[in-house]
Amino acid sequence: MSGRGLDVAGLVMARLADSYRLARAILLDDGEAEDAVQEASLSAWRRRDSLRDETRFDAWFDRILVNQCRDQLRRRGRAVRLAALPIGFEPSAAPPDTGADPDLDRALDALDADHRIVVVMRYWQDRTVDDIADRVGIPAGTVKSRLHHALRTLRATLEAGHG
Amino acid sequence: MDDLELEARLRTHLHRRFDDAPIPSGLVSDVEQSLETAARPVGLATRTGRIRLGWAVLAAALVIAVGAIGLEKGHGATSPGASSTPSPQATASRERDYIVLPPTGASLDKPSAGLATDILGARIGALGIGNFGMGTGYGIELSFESTDPSDASVRAVLGATGDVQVVPLPAADYGEGKLTATIGAPLPKAEPALFGWEGIASIATDTSGSTPGILVTLKPAAARAFGDYAAAHVGDTIAIVLDGRVAMLAVTSNAITSGQIELSGGTVDPAWWPFTEAAAILVGGELPEAWRGASVPVIVPRDQAIAAALAATHGGTVQLASPTVDLGPLAGALRAVWYVDIYQPVCPDNESCISMYVRVRVDAVTGTVIDIAPQGSSVAP
């Protein structure tokens, strides 16, 4: 059965929360994560003919979403961002709570799109290398090399910042 | 730290940070709406798409507005250089009107007025108003039909001079138990600026994200100064000071060498300038010298001006209602007025009627009629 016979919109809506959390973990930005999910949902709808098997939907949609996140990260890469302060922030106030490990946050933020994606899927979603390869659309060997490179970069960044 | 330790640290951090992220309230409905719209092969469905469409509409609207202004020249406006008179059908619309008065005693010239009009038009466009009309004479008039943003926002954006300073806040002076920079207020003590407009090549609206943003491109010297500062002060606060008050606060997250700074929404206190207002002022730019200190008076609505004019003429057909600026009774003094043009048919016999044409000037601030002046007549069959 092709995607035209499947309820692609229903499948998209059913995993919206998971999709948003994945986009947020990759993009580290709530608003951009919303955009990515919305764009990926539309893209999935347009490409629904390429989905033949409902059981493949999660991996199929993840690949679309990850590609969308990668595109947004690359667009963002054209400019250097100043970290935005939360509304009402004043320099004398406590720094915003961005997680329990701000050094690691900064190191993750410094990773490029391809490496951050595999790190998030491996260490947050606890996916296997083969599963990541399927969802990102790259060979398993490339996933391994990206993970290796990402860990090396993260360690170097943390040690440079004494984190 | 070996790989196993780093992996464990990563797992702990990522789960803690991302496992329970709440879903934004509008996301479900946004995606549902997008998919519904996609199912109907008409229109643009994504938020980004709508924004892009908005800019396209803005560009088209500007072309139309320029064309309309050109057509309206010589249509009876009496102030020298006046170039905007709304079309007759505008009198029945829900238009919102604003007048920008140059500072008293300013030496005005057409080039600076044209430049000020361009700047204010860019600010209004950046504020998200896609379809508006502007005219320039002794002052600048603006009309549009959008219900957003608020009058206060529009007047703040029109009246701002747009003087900008990028000011590093020394960590030694600002922080716990030290000085505080507050959005909407001047800095507690004078701090040297890295640069102002002289260091900025351009500021553009950035619609690549979901939150409103601006992209500041620096000139080479300022880019070097900013890069040197940021490299040595990662984590320090930088204030964007607009017209002498702090408009945005941001922290440097990494060394900045590209000469481009991206600022996104959420950086300002909504009780003061919403980000979109400050961003609109920055995108439009700084008013020329002659227009610094311009004012945007609160004027009576179009309907009120028309009602006052009709009461003074005992009826008639309103043809035009135009907010404008003309010379007041004191030499050199400008005032905001409504021009309301009224036709009054007079039929002396059953054969033909004469349409008498009068212009009523209504004080735009008080709503009182200043005078009624005959403009001519025509014979209608």
Side-chain angles (χ1 to χ4, degrees), chain B residues 30 45 52 72-73 90 93 125 213-214 227 303 305 325 356:
Chain B
D30 280 354
R52 285 177 188 146
E72 286 160 358
K73 278 187 176 177
S93 73
I214 55 173
D303 289 348
V325 176
M356 301 301 295

Side-chain angles (χ1 to χ4, degrees), chain A residues 42 81 85 101 105 124 155, chain B residues 3 9 17 46 262 266:
Chain A
L42 270 178
R81 294 166 72 87
L85 303 180
D101 199 337
D105 255 346
W124 178 54
R155 186 183 299 108
Chain B
D3 273 3
R9 185 172 168 182
R17 186 154 178 216
T46 68
E262 187 178 315

Side-chain angles (χ1 to χ4, degrees), chain A residues 8-163:
Chain A
V8 170
L11 293 168
V12 166
M13 296 306 298
R15 74 184 309 274
L16 206 59
D18 287 343
S19 302
Y20 171 73
R21 291 192 179 107
L22 174 59
R24 186 171 175 269
I26 294 171
L27 295 166
L28 302 175
D29 183 292
D30 296 357
E32 287 202 38
E34 281 189 72
D35 269 357
V37 170
Q38 199 170 356
E39 293 283 349
S41 301
L42 270 178
S43 183
W45 169 264
R46 295 189 193 107
R47 292 152 63 179
R48 61 194 182 281
D49 276 349
S50 65
L51 178 64
R52 304 275 171 183
D53 176 359
E54 185 173 331
T55 63
R56 290 277 306 147
F57 175 79
D58 278 3
W60 177 80
F61 186 75
D62 268 1
R63 189 181 292 194
I64 293 171
L65 180 62
V66 163
N67 279 333
Q68 177 62 35
C69 291
R70 184 190 290 116
D71 286 348
Q72 290 184 205
L73 281 171
R74 285 175 176 162
R75 278 203 301 273
R76 187 198 290 178
R78 291 175 308 187
V80 177
R81 294 166 72 87
L82 288 178
L85 303 180
I87 290 170
F89 177 84
E90 293 176 355
S92 62
D97 180 12
T98 57
D101 199 337
D103 292 330
L104 194 50
D105 255 346
R106 278 193 288 274
L108 282 167
D109 198 21
L111 283 181
D112 69 26
D114 288 334
H115 292 95
R116 196 189 305 175
I117 287 166
V118 294
V119 164
V120 165
M121 296 185 110
R122 180 76 184 96
Y123 298 110
W124 178 54
Q125 295 193 313
D126 297 317
R127 298 195 182 284
T128 64
V129 167
D130 287 341
D131 192 11
I132 295 171
D134 185 26
R135 287 167 191 266
V136 179
I138 54 176
T142 307
V143 175
K144 286 180 187 171
S145 66
R146 284 184 185 174
L147 282 171
H148 175 74
H149 180 269
L151 289 179
R152 197 175 56 191
T153 304
L154 285 171
R155 186 183 299 108
T157 307
L158 289 168
E159 287 171 357
H162 308 293

Side-chain angles (χ1 to χ4, degrees), chain A residues 12-13 16 31 34-35 37-39 41-42, chain B residues 24-38 44-48 50 210:
Chain A
V12 166
M13 296 306 298
L16 206 59
E34 281 189 72
D35 269 357
V37 170
Q38 199 170 356
E39 293 283 349
S41 301
L42 270 178
Chain B
S25 56
L27 180 60
V28 172
S29 58
D30 280 354
V31 173
E32 276 177 343
Q33 190 178 346
S34 295
L35 292 173
E36 283 172 15
T37 308
L44 292 166
T46 68
R47 179 168 27 208
T48 307
R50 285 199 296 271
S210 63

Side-chain angles (χ1 to χ4, degrees), chain B residues 77-170:
Chain B
T78 55
S79 58
S83 56
S84 175
T85 307
S87 57
Q89 59 268 34
T91 57
S93 73
R94 297 183 303 278
E95 282 194 56
R96 293 165 61 186
D97 302 282
Y98 302 88
I99 287 174
V100 183
L101 285 167
T104 303
S107 174
L108 298 177
D109 56 72
K110 281 192 175 181
S112 66
L115 177 58
T117 304
D118 291 344
I119 288 166
L120 295 184
R123 289 183 187 177
I124 291 300
L127 204 52
I129 300 165
N131 193 355
F132 57 89
M134 294 187 80
T136 310
Y138 287 123
I140 295 172
E141 302 90 36
L142 167 75
S143 301
F144 61 86
E145 289 194 25
S146 171
T147 53
D148 290 320
S150 70
D151 277 338
S153 288
V154 175
R155 293 177 62 243
V157 167
L158 290 175
T161 295
D163 178 39
V164 68
Q165 299 286 318
V166 176
V167 183
L169 304 183

